[in-house]
Amino acid sequence: MGIFKSVEMRGLLKSLLLGIIACVVAAVVFYFSALEETMAGSIGRLILIVSVFYAGCYVSKSYGNKGLVRGITMGVIYYIVLLIASLIFQESKIDIISYLTNFLLCLGAGAFGGILGIGLTSE
């Protein structure tokens, strides 16, 4: 299990697990409540932002330096993983605007998470 010694891989795994758990919780809430399904897109984007933000914050806090770069890197890595998964499992046509929007959300959330991670570093 040498691959999980990398801080980036641990951060990616933890943030993916956070995203999966949040998606399951959101699905249960939508199923058992009177919330409209039109809100699902907004909730999905919020889950994406929180997951990438956590990944950037975790990695930059672990290293203690270069928070912006490390956060943006985690955002790009997270986006690439989601892009590969969506290309494998999605049967519909590719919507370039949606992919670009998600890419920008990942970059921004990762950058802000990286900056906050540096602020949380205790020396």
Side-chain angles (χ1 to χ4, degrees), residues 8-24:
E8 287 84 4
M9 289 303 293
R10 280 185 286 164
L12 181 65
L13 181 66
K14 286 183 178 186
S15 65
L16 285 173
L17 286 174
L18 174 69
I20 290 170
I21 291 169
C23 284
V24 169

Side-chain angles (χ1 to χ4, degrees), residues 12-91:
L12 181 65
L13 181 66
K14 286 183 178 186
S15 65
L16 285 173
L17 286 174
L18 174 69
I20 290 170
I21 291 169
C23 284
V24 169
V25 169
V28 169
V29 168
F30 274 112
Y31 185 77
F32 288 112
S33 70
L35 290 176
E36 297 180 15
E37 287 81 14
T38 56
M39 294 178 55
S42 299
I43 298 297
R45 284 196 175 92
L46 181 65
I47 291 170
L48 174 69
I49 290 169
V50 169
S51 297
V52 175
F53 183 86
Y54 175 76
C57 186
Y58 177 82
V59 170
S60 64
K61 182 180 178 188
S62 297
Y63 281 113
N65 59 8
K66 300 180 186 175
L68 185 63
V69 174
R70 295 189 194 279
I72 289 174
T73 303
M74 284 309 298
V76 170
I77 292 171
Y78 198 94
Y79 176 76
I80 290 171
V81 168
L82 290 182
L83 179 67
I84 291 169
S86 67
L87 290 175
I88 291 172
F89 296 114
Q90 188 177 15
E91 297 177 1

